[in-house]
Amino acid sequence: MYRRLQWTVISLAGALAHADVNADFQQKFGDTFLEAYWRMNPDAAIVAGYYKVAGELVVPDARSRDEQHQFLKEWLSKLHAVKPESLDAASRSDWVLLDNQLRMELWQLDEQRAWQWSPDTYNVANSFALLLNTEYAPLDQRLRTVLERLAHVPAYYAAAKAAIHNPTREHTRLAIEQNRGALEVFGADLDKQIASSGLNSRERALLTQRIAAARQAIQDYADWLESLDAQLAKNGQARSFRLGRELYQQKFAFANPGGISAEELFHNAQQERLRVLSKMEALADELWPKVVAHAPKPADRFEKIGQVIGKLSNDHVTPDRYVAYVRDLLPQLEGWVTDHHLIALDPTKPLVVRDTPAYERGVSIASIESPGPYDPGARTYLNVLPLDTLPLDQAESFLREYNNWMSPVFIIHEAMPGHYVQLIYANRSPSRIKAVFGNSSTIEGWAVYSERMMLESGYGGNAPERWLMYWKWYLRSVTNTVLDYSVHALRLSEQEAFKLLTQEAFQSEKEATGKWRRVQLSSVQLTSYYAGFSQIYDYRERVRRQQGAHFDLKLFHERFLSYGSAPVPVIVELMSGTCHCNRE
Ligand code: ZN
Ligand code: ZN
C-alpha cells in the first residue's frame, strides 16, 4: 500500500512536469510568438481576424526586411532551444509546423525574393477592404483605424518602387491591373460610409485628405509600372515567369513538409491521368447509346469522351435560378452526410448562402467566406455569383460547366462536407498554431477527398453520368499538378499547355486561358489539390485495410479533421500516435 502510494506520487509529479513543458510551449509560441508575429505582419493579422495592430501598415523597405530577417532568426533559435522530444504529440507537431514556417519565410526573403520581381506583392486594397466590410467593431472605430493606416500609404508605394528590380512582365501587368482595381476600395462606397459615421469634422477632413493621397500613390505606382513594362518589352530582358526547377522543388517542399517530393508527385499525377482517362472512356462507351444515340462513335478517345460530356452539359438551370438551385442543394447534401454517418455536423454554425457581394465578384462562381481563427463565432457564407448579372453568353458558358451533373460535386467541394466542414473543425482545433499556419494541401486535399467520398457513399445513385462528370472534375486537379510542374520545372510551352488542358482534359478555351494565366502568376499552389487528396486517400485506404471490419469511416473523418489544417504527414503521425520528430 505504501509503495503503491509512492508510485502514485512519483508518476503524478512526472505528469505535472510534462504538462508544464507543454503548457510553457503553448504559452510561449501559441500566444507570445503569435502576438509578436502579428505586430510584424499586420496585413496577415487582419486576414486572420486579429485586429489589435490593424492601424499599422508596414512600409516594405530594406529596414523592414532586415527586421523581418532578425525576427525570424531570433524565433527560430528560441524554437530550437526547446527539444521537440520533450513535448507531447500535439505540441511536437506544432513545433514541426513552426520550424517549417519560419524557415520558409527566411527562404522567401533570401532565396525566392518575390519582393523584388513580383510587383503584385504590393497592394494595399485587401486589408482596407476587410476593415471596411467586416463588422468586427463599430463603424467609427473601424474608420479611425483606416485613418491611421492610410497615413503610411504614400511611403508604402515609394518603398515598393525602390524594391522592384527586373520583374517579370506577367507579374508587372497583374500589379497594374490589381492596383487600378484597388482604387475602387477608396471610392464612392467609402464616401458613403464616412457620411453615415459619427466622425467629427476634423477627422473627416483628415480622412478625405489621406484618401486623396492614397489614391494618388496607387495611381502613380500603376503609371510607373506601366512605363517599366514598356521598357521591359523594348529591351526583351525581363525575368521569366517560370520559377525554375531548383526554386520550384524548394518551394514545394515547404508547402508539403514531411511528404512526397515535387518530382514524385508529378510522376504519380501522370499515371493517375491515364487511369482516369480509361475510366472515362469506359463510361463514355456505356453512355453513348443513351446520350448520343445514332451519331457515329469517333475512334479517337478524347473526341468520344468529349462528345458525351458535351451532351450532358446541356442539362442545367437558367441563369436566374442558379443561386436558388445551390440554396436547395445544401440541405440535401447535409441530410445525406448525416443519414449516411459520414461526419458529425455542427448545427450551431449554419452556412448562409448569399449572392456574392459586388466588391468580391471576380472569376469564381462560388466560394466559402469564413471567419479566421480569432473570430470563430462569426458567420460563414457560401457566396454564389448571381449569373443573371452576366451577359447571356457568359452565363451560358458558366452553366454548361456547372451543369446539373457537375454542380453537386462542386458544392460538395466548397461546402458540404468540403471546405466549410473542414474549417469548422479547424477553428475548433485546440492548436492556434495549426489554425493560423494552415496547410493548403490539407485544406484543398480534404475538399477534393470529400467529393470522392460522397460519390463512393452512393450520393447521386452511382449514375454513370454523375461519375463521368466527377472524373472530368477530378481530372482537373490531376492535370493542374502535371501542368504546374511541367511549366515551372520543365519549361512546357504555351501551345503544349493548351493541348493538355483542352484536348486531353476537356476544358473549354476560356477555362484553359484562365488556367494558363494562373500558372504564369503562381507556382506550387495548383498542385495542392492532388497533393493533399492523394495523401489523404492513400492513408485512409491503409487504415481501412489494417482495421478491416473495425474500420469506422465517420470516426476516421472526425479524428482526421480534429488536428486542424496541419500537413497530412503530421496528421498521420498524430493519428498513429507517433510524431515524425521521433525519427530525427
Ligand atoms: Zn477548394
Ligand atoms: Zn521533426
Side-chain angles (χ1 to χ4, degrees):
M1 177 113 187
Y2 188 66
R3 273 177 74 106
R4 270 192 71 190
L5 190 64
Q6 218 176 14
W7 265 112
T8 313
V9 171
I10 289 165
S11 63
L12 198 63
L16 278 175
H18 201 64
D20 273 357
V21 175
N22 293 303
D24 274 1
F25 178 82
Q26 287 301 337
Q27 200 252 319
K28 191 161 186 185
F29 293 94
D31 297 335
T32 313
F33 163 75
L34 277 177
E35 297 264 336
Y37 185 82
W38 298 135
R39 277 199 300 280
M40 295 295 291
N41 301 281
D43 281 71
I46 293 169
V47 173
Y50 179 97
Y51 299 105
K52 267 194 236 168
V53 290
E56 293 301 317
L57 177 68
V58 175
V59 173
D61 57 12
R63 210 189 76 185
S64 84
R65 280 189 297 276
D66 277 350
E67 280 172 14
Q68 196 83 30
H69 205 274
Q70 235 10 65
F71 172 86
L72 294 167
K73 286 270 190 200
E74 197 182 304
W75 279 98
L76 252 181
S77 85
K78 285 184 190 168
L79 184 68
H80 282 261
V82 178
K83 287 206 178 353
E85 307 80 80
S86 68
L87 302 170
D88 64 17
S91 294
R92 208 154 56 204
S93 65
D94 279 353
W95 190 100
V96 173
L97 259 191
L98 217 47
D99 181 49
N100 185 65
Q101 178 71 26
L102 296 171
R103 284 186 299 108
M104 178 181 76
E105 290 191 22
L106 275 173
W107 175 85
Q108 288 170 337
L109 272 175
D110 296 345
E111 309 293 331
Q112 180 179 238
R113 301 172 81 88
W115 55 269
Q116 238 171 16
W117 52 260
S118 201
D120 60 303
T121 308
Y122 307 107
N123 190 335
V124 295
N126 187 44
S127 323
F128 279 107
L130 282 171
L131 293 176
L132 292 167
N133 295 308
T134 314
E135 288 177 10
Y136 68 92
L139 177 64
D140 290 5
Q141 187 188 326
R142 289 186 283 129
L143 285 174
R144 287 186 185 111
T145 301
V146 165
L147 177 63
E148 190 187 338
R149 186 167 242 274
L150 275 170
H152 312 288
V153 172
Y156 175 98
Y157 281 105
K161 286 200 259 181
I164 289 167
H165 177 71
N166 194 29
T168 81
R169 291 197 63 202
E170 291 75 11
H171 293 94
T172 303
R173 286 198 297 262
L174 177 68
I176 294 167
E177 193 181 309
Q178 290 187 336
N179 274 283
R180 295 233 158 102
L183 290 170
E184 241 173 82
V185 175
F186 306 101
D189 285 351
L190 176 54
D191 292 342
K192 264 184 251 163
Q193 276 183 307
I194 297 169
S196 72
S197 75
L199 261 53
N200 65 38
S201 57
R202 199 194 59 84
E203 288 170 318
R204 282 173 194 234
L206 193 54
L207 198 46
T208 309
Q209 183 195 322
R210 286 186 183 169
I211 289 168
R215 290 183 62 95
Q216 181 58 48
I218 295 168
Q219 189 67 61
D220 173 63
Y221 181 59
D223 293 347
W224 181 79
L225 289 174
E226 196 91 70
S227 63
L228 178 63
D229 186 50
Q231 213 178 304
L232 291 169
K234 209 164 72 190
N235 69 21
Q237 285 173 342
R239 180 190 173 101
S240 165
F241 68 86
R242 298 174 199 269
L243 203 53
R245 195 198 291 251
E246 198 183 338
L247 282 180
Y248 187 91
Q249 283 171 343
Q250 292 165 356
K251 185 174 179 181
F252 183 92
F254 283 121
N256 296 278
I260 196 164
S261 76
E263 206 172 359
E264 230 179 308
L265 187 77
F266 169 65
H267 288 305
N268 291 350
Q270 278 181 312
Q271 285 171 8
E272 182 77 340
R273 264 190 78 229
L274 301 181
R275 275 196 297 271
V276 172
L277 286 169
S278 320
K279 285 180 197 292
M280 292 177 82
E281 186 172 17
L283 287 164
D285 281 329
E286 182 187 342
L287 285 165
W288 190 272
K290 179 174 160 193
V291 175
V292 191
H294 305 300
K297 200 151 81 171
D300 180 72
R301 145 199 261 194
F302 294 110
E303 213 158 286
K304 177 170 60 186
I305 299 170
Q307 282 194 32
V308 177
I309 288 174
K311 285 278 183 196
L312 293 177
S313 304
N314 295 334
D315 195 355
H316 60 72
V317 299
T318 53
D320 57 314
R321 280 275 311 145
Y322 195 71
V323 178
Y325 168 83
V326 170
R327 195 172 277 127
D328 292 346
L329 203 51
L330 263 181
Q332 190 200 318
L333 293 170
E334 271 176 34
W336 183 275
V337 167
T338 303
D339 294 349
H340 293 78
H341 312 287
L342 299 177
I343 188 165
L345 303 176
D346 184 348
T348 67
K349 301 230 164 20
L351 179 60
V352 183
V353 179
R354 67 170 181 187
D355 289 8
T356 308
Y359 76 95
E360 287 178 56
R361 284 179 200 167
V363 284
S364 118
I365 191 165
S367 61
I368 283 285
E369 189 176 324
S370 69
Y374 285 92
D375 197 9
R379 255 167 205 249
T380 302
Y381 294 101
L382 177 60
N383 292 335
V384 183
L385 185 65
L387 292 176
D388 46 354
T389 61
L390 296 179
L392 214 58
D393 60 324
Q394 269 188 45
E396 171 66 16
S397 115
F398 262 125
L399 284 162
R400 283 189 60 79
E401 181 67 22
Y402 296 94
N403 57 63
N404 295 348
W405 297 108
M406 180 71 93
S407 278
V409 180
F410 172 54
I411 301 303
I412 288 170
H413 177 107
E414 288 301 324
M416 182 57 62
H419 288 317
Y420 162 67
V421 172
Q422 195 268 335
L423 284 163
I424 286 182
Y425 274 81
N427 280 342
R428 227 194 261 157
S429 138
S431 160
R432 194 172 270 165
I433 289 167
K434 288 193 194 72
V436 168
F437 300 116
N439 182 269
S440 304
S441 296
T442 298
I443 293 168
E444 287 305 341
W446 170 263
V448 175
Y449 166 78
S450 69
E451 302 158 7
R452 173 77 61 89
M453 182 271 285
M454 284 288 276
L455 260 71
E456 284 178 345
S457 77
Y459 178 81
N462 279 316
E465 292 92 339
R466 178 89 63 203
W467 274 107
L468 179 60
M469 232 23 126
Y470 164 78
W471 289 119
K472 182 203 154 185
W473 175 260
Y474 171 69
L475 185 62
R476 179 147 86 176
S477 297
V478 179
T479 307
N480 281 345
T481 295
V482 174
L483 177 77
D484 199 59
Y485 186 86
S486 304
V487 166
H488 286 288
L490 306 176
R491 310 191 65 80
L492 186 80
S493 72
E494 181 174 356
Q495 198 190 357
E496 289 167 311
F498 268 78
K499 179 165 175 267
L500 174 71
L501 295 169
T502 56
Q503 286 176 39
E504 298 177 7
F506 316 100
Q507 297 184 8
S508 67
E509 212 51 51
K510 187 170 168 251
E511 197 186 344
T513 306
K515 195 55 64 66
W516 175 248
R517 184 176 144 89
R518 192 166 154 197
V519 78
Q520 286 178 298
L521 298 172
S522 76
S523 47
V524 176
Q525 200 277 332
L526 278 170
T527 66
S528 60
Y529 305 85
Y530 179 63
F533 166 81
S534 55
Q535 293 180 83
I536 297 171
Y537 196 83
D538 291 352
Y539 176 54
R540 189 199 73 181
E541 289 305 280
R542 214 157 63 228
V543 175
R544 190 205 282 281
R545 276 194 303 274
Q546 276 164 11
Q547 300 186 352
H550 300 288
F551 180 73
D552 182 332
L553 187 63
K554 179 168 182 278
L555 201 64
F556 175 85
H557 293 150
E558 288 163 3
R559 281 200 60 199
F560 186 89
L561 292 189
S562 74
Y563 298 107
S565 311
V568 178
V570 170
I571 297 178
V572 169
E573 307 261 4
L574 285 172
M575 277 180 78
S576 324
T578 55
C579 172
H580 101 141
C581 304
N582 289 345
R583 292 206 299 264
E584 284 179 3

